[in-house]
Amino acid sequence: QVQLVESGGGLVQPGGSLRLSCAASGIIFGTATMGWYRRTPGKQRELVAAITGAGRTNYTGLVKDRFTISRDNAKNTVYLQMNGLKPEDTAVYYCNARYSVRDYVVREYWGQGTQVTVSS
């Protein structure tokens, strides 16, 4: 069974930091592109950051200078270090694992999400 389990969310004040973790099982982790997405009520789920099996990263411009995505293949875990958090970062954050060929998604898996709330 494929499982993506997020952890590390919570309540933090503006300017604070959180580190999200996503532990994957049941997949070949090293060849998957891993990503973090987020969703707020009334908004479509959006990409926050992604990292390929080779370590190439992509970020939305909204977080590029504040968030860092990384992975530990030995632990089958992807992380999202979130610094300088803003109220607009408040969302449910989802872990994603994707296998694709020439931009065609062959298979994709999602975690259940973890809540991040940024408020004073």
Side-chain angles (χ1 to χ4, degrees):
Q1 183 181 7
V2 175
Q3 284 191 305
L4 302 176
V5 182
E6 301 98 332
S7 62
L11 175 65
V12 65
Q13 295 187 60
S17 298
L18 286 172
R19 189 193 194 199
L20 306 183
S21 299
C22 172
S25 61
I27 66 170
I28 303 175
F29 183 83
T31 59
T33 293
M34 303 299 300
W36 288 97
Y37 292 72
R38 66 187 181 187
R39 178 174 178 166
T40 58
K43 296 179 64 178
Q44 186 171 259
R45 184 168 55 194
E46 65 178 358
L47 174 69
V48 178
I51 182 168
T52 70
R56 294 185 295 273
T57 59
N58 288 293
Y59 301 88
T60 176
L62 298 173
V63 308
K64 185 175 180 61
D65 296 327
R66 300 183 293 119
F67 293 8
T68 302
I69 188 170
S70 62
R71 66 194 295 161
D72 186 338
N73 289 345
K75 297 181 178 180
N76 282 12
T77 301
V78 63
Y79 306 94
L80 185 67
Q81 180 66 47
M82 310 165 69
N83 299 324
L85 284 162
K86 304 175 180 180
E88 51 263 44
D89 294 319
T90 296
V92 178
Y93 284 71
Y94 298 89
C95 182
N96 170 268
R98 175 182 292 184
Y99 300 88
S100 62
V101 178
R102 292 185 174 87
D103 295 326
Y104 176 79
V105 178
V106 176
R107 191 167 296 176
E108 192 170 41
Y109 303 99
W110 293 93
Q112 293 299 119
T114 185
Q115 177 71 49
V116 172
T117 302
V118 185
S119 177
S120 58

